[in-house]
Amino acid sequence: MPLLPRKKRRKDAALSTEPRDPLVGGNSPGGTAVKFGEVGIFLVERRMGSSRRSFLTELAQKKGFRVEEHMSESVTHVVSENNTGDEVLDLLEKQNGVCRTGFTAALVDIAWFTECMGAGRPLELETRHRLQVTRVAAAVIGVPISPYACQRRTTLNNKNRLLTDALKILAENAELCESEGRYLAFTRASSILKSLPYNVTRMEVLQGIPSLGDHSRKVIKEILEDGLCREVESVIQNARYQTLKLFTSIFGVGVKTADKWYREGLRTIDELRASKIKLTKEQEAGLLYYEDLIVPVTRAEADLIGQIVEGAVHRFLPTAIITLAGGFRREKQSGHDVDFLITHPEEGKEEGLIYQVISWMVTQGLILYDDITDNSYHKLKNKEPEIFDHFTKCFSIFKLKKETVNNIEPNRPNNRDSLAVNVTGGIGLAGHAETTRQVSAAAARDKNWKAVRVDLVIAPFGQYAYALLGWTGSQLFERDLRRYAKHFKHMGLNSHSLFDNEQNKFLPAATEEEIFAHLGLDYIPPRERNA
Ligand code: CTP
Ligand code: MN
Ligand code: MN
């Protein structure tokens, strides 16, 4: 027995004589927050009628579901009432220009929807919920998928993790072999699969999907058929891969250095610590705090560090703006570091700020390592020269007191100082005091703090929107934004500006939305930039 009022069936509803597009109906915007963003519902109006469609739309929105007014890539469930699967497919093809080469959204009966409303959450699809599709060719529907990551919406809800993990290993291995082309090919293939709103279970659904080369397709096919891919398994077993992956996981160590150590016969962190190999200051710190730095930073830790940074910055410049960027801005729940962007509405006020802030935090015992790079100097192990920017920044390692993570009281001004860690309580401050490579096991176990990598970037206000876009990532998303700008708009994009080669001028922007608009792209919010 349906929960909801049912519209009287119109005799002619089955005929396509409706004056308006039956797939696009009235839909109230509904101000309720979306609770289940991973599910995108599209209600087919045919045989449902517009008023019932509006009613159901509103109901679902009130319960926190995302209901799309139009068919799009973000739709995961096409819900219809009294239609066969074939009929719905025909409609989607005719009315929405949906082509068959893209992704599959599930075609489901209204029963699934009604049950979800009753449960107040999205329910797993059962066979009885799915509409029958008799024509095999029509089983695959979709809208075209762009080969540019900046034209796709990629959330963290990856439906193809088994496949993307395998491709990621091949990408990593290519990177460790300094094979840029293969690195990009596997990274792009993995990214495309991340953007699909469905789980790939057979090769046919990948027909016509861009960025999947022969090699990647072979890997996918093997995993779908055999559960694993021999090539991936052999990479995982490979000693060079294992060692280089281990060494490049040390802060300050790039592929070339890792390879050199590997060729010199080193295999483990302990062997490296025991060796007489000359290390840079950065590597010294990376090795000293290695065990902490490989533990992912949590969201709670990132928020706490945000408060510490804000406290320190506002000491010197109370109206400065501090923004969390990087993976955490994309709503990741953990990361390898925490990235902050710092600016001030009055341009010029931010100059010199980083030195004051870092010096003060050092005196408070909050910093284990810092490396301030002034403007045009860069030293990250990044593959892509144009990705470098010229901001004043600080690559640092924070000393984060463990208990503060759990019982921080926000907005208590005096709390900030109490977060400071007693300098003498530490076990060595690389870059400031001790440079011992070996942290004694006992000291490591008993310590009440954790070393955390933090990047602080200072951006002049006029470049702030570009800096924010550039430092939010993901890396592939950034890369494709630049590629798109160059190829389609004849514009040069970086983390400072956008230059229009045709008009021969820079295009100012105060917000990320304005930058997307300059590029003629739909705005993609940070949470959908996880390409
Ligand atoms: N970035 C940059 N220039 C650098 C370093 C990083 O523009 N010298 C950008 C990267 O393109 C990325 C963002 O800053 O988009 C954050 O970089 P990073 O911290 O390395 O990656 P995250 O996406 O934050 O991943 P994680 O959560 O693991 O830190
Ligand atoms: Mn980061
Ligand atoms: Mn970073």
Side-chain angles (χ1 to χ4, degrees):
M1 161 76 193
L3 297 166
L4 315 161
R6 188 175 284 272
K7 185 181 191 283
K8 262 197 233 129
R9 293 264 300 284
R10 284 202 310 266
K11 254 202 192 143
D12 63 348
L15 307 168
S16 51
T17 51
E18 294 241 7
R20 46 199 284 255
D21 182 350
L23 290 167
V24 181
N27 165 341
S28 81
T32 335
V34 173
K35 274 200 280 188
F36 316 110
E38 68 281 10
V39 172
I41 295 173
F42 175 75
L43 292 164
V44 176
E45 189 172 308
R46 183 175 190 259
R47 294 201 177 122
M48 182 184 282
S50 64
S51 53
R52 180 164 154 84
R53 184 177 189 258
S54 304
F55 173 82
L56 296 178
T57 299
E58 227 173 277
L59 178 80
Q61 285 173 340
K62 273 204 195 108
K63 290 186 182 279
F65 285 81
R66 178 164 64 80
V67 184
E68 297 295 334
E69 193 174 6
H70 303 278
M71 189 59 197
S72 75
E73 275 183 41
S74 72
V75 170
T76 57
H77 293 70
V78 176
V79 176
S80 82
E81 190 165 35
N82 296 320
N83 290 288
T84 67
D86 291 331
E87 285 172 325
V88 174
L89 276 181
D90 280 349
L91 266 174
L92 290 174
E93 270 178 17
K94 267 196 220 118
Q95 310 285 344
N96 292 61
V98 163
C99 73
R100 295 169 186 219
T101 54
F103 60 81
T104 57
L107 303 182
V108 305
D109 185 69
I110 190 76
W112 172 81
F113 180 92
T114 323
E115 288 165 29
C116 290
M117 293 308 113
R121 63 182 168 83
L123 298 174
E124 286 289 306
L125 275 183
E126 294 170 29
T127 315
R128 64 188 175 84
H129 292 135
R130 290 188 189 269
L131 296 184
Q132 291 289 311
V133 176
T134 53
R135 281 168 295 121
V136 174
V140 181
I141 59 161
V143 293
I145 296 178
S146 172
Y148 289 84
C150 56
Q151 288 188 301
R152 303 193 293 263
R153 295 175 187 272
T154 315
T155 65
L156 292 164
N157 180 17
N158 178 0
K159 298 245 181 15
N160 294 292
R161 197 162 308 270
L162 191 65
L163 300 173
T164 59
D165 281 353
L167 291 165
K168 187 178 157 211
I169 288 166
L170 297 181
E172 267 170 9
N173 187 51
E175 192 180 19
L176 297 174
C177 295
E178 299 187 72
S179 173
E180 174 75 5
R182 289 196 313 132
Y183 163 78
L184 255 185
F186 289 128
T187 302
R188 290 196 188 292
S190 168
S191 175
I192 278 279
L193 296 180
K194 280 187 201 167
S195 76
L196 298 181
Y198 58 91
N199 174 234
V200 173
T201 51
R202 50 204 180 87
M203 289 307 283
E204 293 84 90
V205 301
L206 297 177
Q207 262 174 41
I209 290 193
S211 302
L212 292 177
D214 290 346
H215 198 154
S216 294
R217 283 178 192 273
K218 183 180 148 284
V219 173
I220 296 167
K221 185 162 181 279
E222 215 177 308
I223 295 173
L224 294 181
E225 285 170 3
D226 308 336
L228 53 78
C229 166
R230 269 150 222 89
E231 187 185 356
V232 175
E233 296 309 308
S234 104
V235 167
I236 294 171
Q237 297 303 324
N238 182 279
R240 183 179 179 275
Y241 167 80
Q242 288 176 359
T243 312
L244 265 68
K245 196 168 151 56
L246 177 74
F247 288 163
T248 54
S249 74
I250 304 169
F251 173 53
V253 180
V255 174
K256 286 203 160 57
T257 306
D259 185 55
K260 188 164 146 278
W261 293 344
Y262 174 74
R263 283 186 284 106
E264 286 169 10
L266 295 170
R267 293 293 180 271
T268 66
I269 297 291
D270 283 341
E271 283 171 22
L272 185 60
R273 280 179 171 149
S275 78
K276 295 269 176 302
I277 279 185
K278 173 110 187 79
L279 300 174
T280 64
K281 272 255 167 286
E282 205 177 14
Q283 293 161 354
E284 195 87 52
L287 208 48
L288 186 55
Y289 304 113
Y290 181 76
E291 282 70 18
D292 275 4
L293 297 182
I294 52 166
V295 179
V297 187
T298 65
R299 178 79 213 197
E301 288 166 343
D303 290 340
L304 180 62
I305 291 170
Q307 294 182 36
I308 296 172
V309 170
E310 198 174 295
V313 169
H314 284 171
R315 250 185 135 74
F316 301 98
L317 207 50
T319 44
I321 301 163
I322 297 107
T323 312
L324 182 63
F328 287 108
R329 183 161 183 256
R330 302 196 309 273
E331 298 187 8
K332 277 175 65 178
Q333 287 307 305
S334 66
H336 95 284
D337 70 353
V338 196
D339 307 280
F340 292 100
L341 212 60
I342 301 166
T343 190
H344 191 277
E346 227 177 294
E347 207 162 313
K349 286 260 196 215
E350 75 286 349
E351 281 171 26
L353 178 66
I354 194 76
Y355 294 97
Q356 295 175 299
V357 169
I358 295 294
S359 311
W360 182 77
M361 288 199 289
V362 168
T363 66
Q364 299 302 302
L366 289 165
I367 302 284
L368 296 167
Y369 170 88
D370 69 83
D371 174 17
I372 299 177
T373 60
D374 218 344
N375 280 331
S376 60
Y377 182 69
H378 56 73
K379 64 185 325 182
L380 266 214
K381 48 181 176 182
N382 211 303
K383 299 155 288 297
E384 203 180 8
E386 70 260 34
I387 213 161
F388 289 129
D389 60 54
H390 308 282
F391 293 119
T392 297
K393 56 178 89 69
C394 180
F395 302 114
S396 70
I397 300 177
F398 269 49
K399 182 173 182 176
L400 189 65
K401 245 193 160 168
K402 275 179 185 163
E403 52 267 43
T404 50
V405 178
N406 299 323
N407 50 34
I408 179 81
E409 291 174 73
N411 304 326
R412 280 263 219 94
N414 284 339
N415 229 22
R416 282 187 183 126
D417 287 325
S418 71
L419 296 174
V421 178
N422 178 6
V423 201
T424 53
I427 54 159
L429 308 173
H432 295 294
E434 202 178 322
T435 51
T436 326
R437 287 184 192 181
Q438 212 98 33
V439 182
S440 90
R445 223 179 300 117
D446 295 341
K447 73 188 180 40
N448 65 344
W449 52 270
K450 179 187 177 188
V452 180
R453 274 270 301 113
V454 177
D455 288 341
L456 302 173
V457 183
I458 308 284
F461 199 62
Q463 300 170 21
Y464 177 70
Y466 287 104
L468 184 59
L469 181 60
W471 276 80
T472 296
S474 70
Q475 219 184 96
L476 187 68
F477 191 91
E478 302 297 333
R479 190 174 190 133
D480 279 4
L481 267 176
R482 288 159 205 225
R483 194 164 64 104
Y484 184 91
K486 192 166 155 189
H487 291 170
F488 288 98
K489 310 299 281 189
H490 305 286
M491 293 180 186
L493 173 69
N494 58 36
S495 293
H496 298 272
S497 61
L498 179 63
F499 187 79
D500 184 333
N501 288 303
E502 270 152 27
Q503 296 184 64
N504 205 28
K505 67 170 193 190
F506 287 102
L507 305 178
T511 61
E512 286 182 323
E513 281 86 345
E514 286 176 34
I515 305 173
F516 281 88
H518 284 321
L519 294 170
L521 288 169
D522 283 346
Y523 177 69
I524 309 276
R527 64 183 298 276
E528 293 178 330
R529 295 182 206 162
N530 286 290

